[in-house]
Amino acid sequence: MRRTDPEGHGPVRYGPHLPDDGLPVLPELSAVLAAAANRTREQPVGGGPALLEAACGYWERRGLPCPPAGVACGPGAPSLLLALTAALGGDVLVPRPCAAWWAPYARLLGRPVFHVPTPAESGGVPDPYALLETVRRVRAEGGEPRLLVLSVADDPTATVAPPELLHETLEAAAAEGLHLVSDETWRDTLHAPHDTVLLSPAEMLPDRVTVVTDLAGSLLPPGWPAAVARFPEDETGRALHARVLDILTALGARVAGPVAAVAGYALGEPEPVTERRAATVRLHARVAAAAHAAVVAAGAPARPPQAGRHLYADLGPLRSALEARGVGDAQELEDFLTARLGMPAPGGHRFGDDLGALRVRLATGPLLGGTDEERMECLDSPSPLELPHVQRALISLRSAFDDLRDDAQRREPPR
């Protein structure tokens, strides 16, 4: 932060928001929002009865039944995570890397945040032994770790944690008395849902897990902020729910009436919503696979994306070529690739990764075109990768990475 602030980059701890899918709003959602536009009365803090019932139905269909009294809604996941962090107290543990918006809210409350090493193949769920070591180190230094935030379908890495690792990590967290917040924003965006096993931590550890889902992941546009939280059903969960509602009240964090109406409609998962979601996931999966192939072909390791609308790449093997262009850390890599690709390319430091590591998150939305017409054409096409504007975007991406690969190879010392 000391280095980047004077350079005009802003504080690196506050990273980019959820990547937009780039697609025009579903007409049925627009119609519901328009019909509710004259709702001037405030929603109750935590959400009105219709919205809470819709959230309960959403989770019941995923094997996580809950009563309306165990649900809270807020204007986006950040407000819910802020309230949960304040209500639980203590120090916060997060994976390295993790979603860019997790750590800032703990820091805003003056809470220490500790990053736990996380396997590359299961971003979002820390290594259980590293978690135990971090908890014990923090306690030895006088800290009080209480909260672990994780995600089984991860931003930024787009990977899905295997159930066996998740089980071991949850056992370690339970043994140390931690409460878990499971960010499940991307759980409905699996690229191969029939081949990928995704389990919620709330299925394995129901008394210690609060689930948070931002509807911008798969149901609503990011500009219509709404998120839901599901609390444990025991006495501790009920007390936590009450404290969170108190904090949301103090913040004035209510879901806007028209947005609450459209959020309730989307959480009910009517056919237009599920069809659009499925088509959107298929589209982003194809584009992500093509972008992944281009990055890996250039010699930059990246895990195959399994969920979401992004991938996470390590450009360390191309360091010599990047250094020749004045790129020596993740902030400079972000600047270079953003200018070279003409699209946002946030560096890994924004996700808690090491500033010196040359890692970057690439989103698929900007590859779908620059107009609503082009993006809808992608959604409607049986072969979106063959569309001229998508081909141009992918060629530009491949060209940028191939240039770096070729330059790095020229700079390799003779054997």
Side-chain angles (χ1 to χ4, degrees):
M1 287 179 61
R2 285 193 297 270
R3 185 181 75 74
T4 58
D5 269 336
E7 297 174 5
H9 296 300
V12 298
R13 60 182 176 178
Y14 294 94
H17 300 291
L18 291 172
D20 193 353
D21 66 11
L23 300 172
V25 177
L26 181 68
E28 287 81 357
L29 295 181
S30 296
V32 173
L33 187 73
N38 61 352
R39 293 190 181 184
T40 58
R41 182 175 296 179
E42 285 188 329
Q43 278 273 299
V45 170
L51 183 52
L52 297 180
E53 288 285 355
C56 291
Y58 170 86
W59 274 311
E60 185 169 4
R61 290 188 293 275
R62 285 152 182 80
L64 296 171
C66 58
V71 177
C73 305
S79 62
L80 293 177
L81 183 60
L82 176 66
L84 282 161
T85 305
L88 287 163
D91 301 340
V92 180
L93 305 175
V94 296
R96 181 190 297 275
C98 68
W101 54 273
W102 286 357
Y105 294 95
R107 295 192 180 105
L108 186 64
L109 294 167
R111 302 281 169 75
V113 179
F114 299 92
H115 287 269
V116 184
T118 303
E121 67 276 10
S122 56
V125 176
D127 176 82
Y129 301 103
L131 175 62
L132 291 172
E133 181 180 346
T134 302
V135 168
R136 290 162 187 172
R137 173 176 58 82
V138 171
R139 286 180 178 150
E141 295 172 355
E144 188 181 6
R146 289 188 184 176
L147 171 61
L148 170 64
V149 187
L150 49 73
S151 60
V152 287
D154 187 43
D155 173 17
T157 66
T159 58
V160 176
E164 56 274 15
L165 173 71
L166 178 63
H167 181 71
E168 293 174 3
T169 300
L170 295 183
E171 282 190 334
E176 297 298 332
L178 301 177
H179 188 87
L180 286 82
V181 169
S182 176
D183 178 4
E184 300 186 8
T185 295
W186 300 105
R187 69 166 295 156
D188 295 329
T189 66
L190 298 183
H191 296 177
H194 299 297
D195 301 324
T196 306
V197 178
L198 184 149
L199 294 177
S200 170
E203 298 178 60
M204 299 182 178
L205 205 64
D207 295 338
R208 286 191 172 273
V209 178
T210 298
V211 178
V212 173
T213 299
D214 197 305
L215 304 193
S218 64
L219 293 174
L220 294 182
W224 302 357
V228 289
R230 175 192 182 276
F231 293 81
E233 292 189 46
D234 61 358
E235 184 177 345
T236 301
R238 289 189 288 273
L240 177 61
H241 179 263
R243 291 197 299 274
V244 164
L245 291 182
D246 285 343
I247 295 165
L248 292 175
T249 301
L251 295 173
R254 293 177 168 87
V255 181
V259 175
V262 74
Y265 171 79
L267 283 166
E269 299 181 291
E271 187 174 348
V273 170
T274 57
E275 287 182 350
R276 166 60 77 87
R277 181 175 62 202
T280 299
V281 171
R282 284 195 301 270
L283 171 61
H284 283 286
R286 291 174 179 175
V287 177
H292 175 261
V295 170
V296 171
R303 300 294 302 182
Q306 297 174 284
R309 305 189 283 262
H310 44 271
L311 66 145
Y312 199 64
D314 183 355
L315 275 63
L318 307 176
R319 183 177 289 274
S320 60
L322 288 164
E323 287 179 343
R325 291 162 171 79
V327 175
D329 63 23
Q331 179 63 67
E332 292 166 350
L333 177 64
E334 175 181 309
D335 295 339
F336 170 75
L337 284 180
T338 297
R340 176 66 174 80
L341 300 175
M343 57 183 269
H349 62 303
R350 297 196 179 273
F351 309 99
D353 224 333
D354 180 16
L355 179 65
L358 297 177
R359 300 192 183 103
V360 64
R361 187 189 74 181
L362 300 173
T364 50
L367 302 174
L368 302 181
T371 66
D372 284 348
E373 291 75 16
E374 287 181 337
R375 291 187 283 265
M376 278 305 299
E377 190 179 5
C378 289
L379 193 65
D380 295 335
S381 173
S383 305
L385 300 183
E386 297 177 8
L387 295 173
H389 61 276
V390 177
Q391 286 187 337
R392 287 193 296 269
L394 290 172
I395 288 171
S396 176
L397 180 70
R398 283 194 294 268
S399 175
F401 280 88
D402 287 349
D403 287 348
L404 291 173
R405 177 200 60 203
D406 295 344
D407 192 12
Q409 290 175 346
R410 285 194 296 269
R411 295 173 184 279
E412 285 184 1
R415 296 181 180 178

